[in-house]
Amino acid sequence: MTKVEKNFKTVQFQTDLLNWYRENKRDLPWRKQATPYHVWVSEIMLQQTRVDTVIPYYEQFMRLFPNMEHLAYAKEEAILKAWEGLGYYSRVRNLQVAVREVVEQYGGVVPRTRKEISTLKGIGPYTAGAILSIAYGQREPAVDGNVMRVLSRILHISDDIRKAATRKKFEECLYELIDPDDPGSFNQGLMELGALICTPTSPSCGVCPVQSHCQAFAVGIQTSLPVKTKKKKPKKVAIASFLLQDEDGHVLIEKRPDQGLLAGLWQLPLVESASDVKAACVERYGEVIAFEKTAGYVKHVFTHLVWEIDLYKGMLRKQDAHMQESHRFVPVADLEQYTFPVSQQKLLSYAFEEGWL
């Protein structure tokens, strides 16, 4: 089925969903100022991140960069620090590039058409639809995982939601279903329903405001939908990370390359998959003394791989260090000025807890 069935009660579905949403929607900070900029920032933050996690980041981000001009010309170090802990740092880099383009090429006005807004870096079909419908009141679909789960059950669509063609099918259906008078609330209502009621494994069908419209519920297969093929298991990579201090207690940190995984962030020195960890450390960073493996361990899951990180510590005198442009000895008190990925923050926290820093 690529279209909504003729006997589907579209108007009543819109009414039931909107009434429920208006009465039960969560009090989220980005809903208080639904400008294109506020919606845009919140939607980028919410990609692959839980709402509860995003709220304090969003509030701090808006204090630091209250409008597009502030963000467009902020130093990269500042935006990365504000994003520290959210992960997927390319999101905020792309956001800044796109915001700068809006400021410089569109006079600070976010484009109002799907064609134009979709040319901005980091804005895909979902984010475009969210901004256009919520901020501009346009009848545009915003299809994310929550929406696909809800609609797969409501409309009994059994196509694999990992396929791009399936997303297009949902968009086609939404162009028919979306409320013409309040498309922003309609789209948010679907998202909210997926987050609070129509959950992945145990949907609360008994209290669902659109249960009477749900074709999957009618035949008792709501928990079997959506159909979603399994991802390949991510590759596991053994990592040795080093807490190396000089004779003054300063800590050696290094900056990752400007391209690739965790680009431009800082980390404790590390090597991957070495059979002789100390030899690998000495070869790359210099002659280390009092070298030992600690009980520090972090497992960090990326989309395509898993880092299993063991922490080692030792002393590296400045005169013995193989210093590169990307390396820096910093006082312990200054570590907080640098942006570290979550896995490295955990290792540093462990070192503080153990009293090494």
Side-chain angles (χ1 to χ4, degrees), residues 81-97:
K81 189 65 180 176
W83 204 266
E84 185 179 41
L86 272 179
Y88 303 97
Y89 290 87
S90 60
R91 292 183 295 170
V92 72
R93 287 192 174 96
N94 291 342
L95 175 63
Q96 185 182 40
V97 169

Side-chain angles (χ1 to χ4, degrees), residues 156-352:
H156 191 177
I157 296 176
S158 55
D159 300 55
D160 181 2
I161 64 170
R162 288 203 189 277
K163 294 183 177 179
T166 304
R167 182 181 291 270
K168 292 295 294 182
K169 178 179 286 190
F170 284 120
E171 287 179 352
E172 290 173 11
C173 291
L174 274 176
Y175 275 116
E176 296 185 49
L177 288 178
I178 193 167
D179 184 81
D181 299 319
D182 194 352
S185 292
F186 180 89
N187 282 339
Q188 290 180 93
L190 285 178
M191 299 171 205
E192 199 83 334
L193 192 69
L196 303 180
I197 303 292
C198 197
T199 51
T201 55
S202 301
S204 302
C205 299
V207 295
C208 178
V210 293
Q211 183 212 89
S212 62
H213 305 277
C214 184
Q215 296 175 20
F217 177 79
V219 293
I221 62 167
Q222 61 272 24
T223 56
S224 301
L225 294 173
V227 173
K228 186 177 183 180
T229 53
K230 291 184 178 179
K231 288 183 179 180
K232 292 181 179 178
K233 287 187 177 180
K235 177 185 176 184
K236 291 183 178 180
V237 181
I239 303 283
S241 195
F242 308 117
L243 177 66
L244 303 176
Q245 294 179 272
D246 66 12
E247 53 271 41
D248 298 317
H250 295 176
V251 180
L252 182 66
I253 60 174
E254 63 182 2
K255 192 174 187 181
R256 293 184 64 82
D258 291 334
Q259 302 293 325
L261 190 65
L262 302 176
L265 301 186
W266 291 87
Q267 65 186 16
L268 296 176
L270 60 79
V271 296
E272 295 183 17
S273 307
S275 55
D276 187 335
V277 173
K278 183 176 181 180
C281 179
V282 169
E283 180 181 357
R284 184 173 298 185
Y285 301 107
E287 189 62 45
V288 183
I289 57 177
F291 186 82
E292 62 177 296
K293 184 178 181 179
T294 76
Y297 170 81
V298 171
K299 181 178 181 179
H300 191 76
V301 181
F302 297 94
T303 305
H304 59 294
L305 55 83
V306 176
W307 276 5
E308 296 187 326
I309 311 172
D310 286 305
L311 179 64
Y312 296 75
K313 70 183 183 77
M315 181 178 176
L316 176 61
R317 292 177 297 190
K318 282 193 176 76
Q319 65 266 31
D320 296 330
H322 300 163
M323 297 296 285
Q324 306 291 329
E325 240 182 83
S326 58
H327 295 171
R328 189 173 299 179
F329 274 107
V330 299
V332 172
D334 291 350
L335 286 173
E336 64 180 18
Q337 298 176 19
Y338 297 84
T339 305
F340 293 91
V342 170
S343 58
Q344 294 290 311
Q345 291 179 48
K346 290 179 179 177
L347 292 175
L348 287 167
S349 293
Y350 177 77
F352 275 106

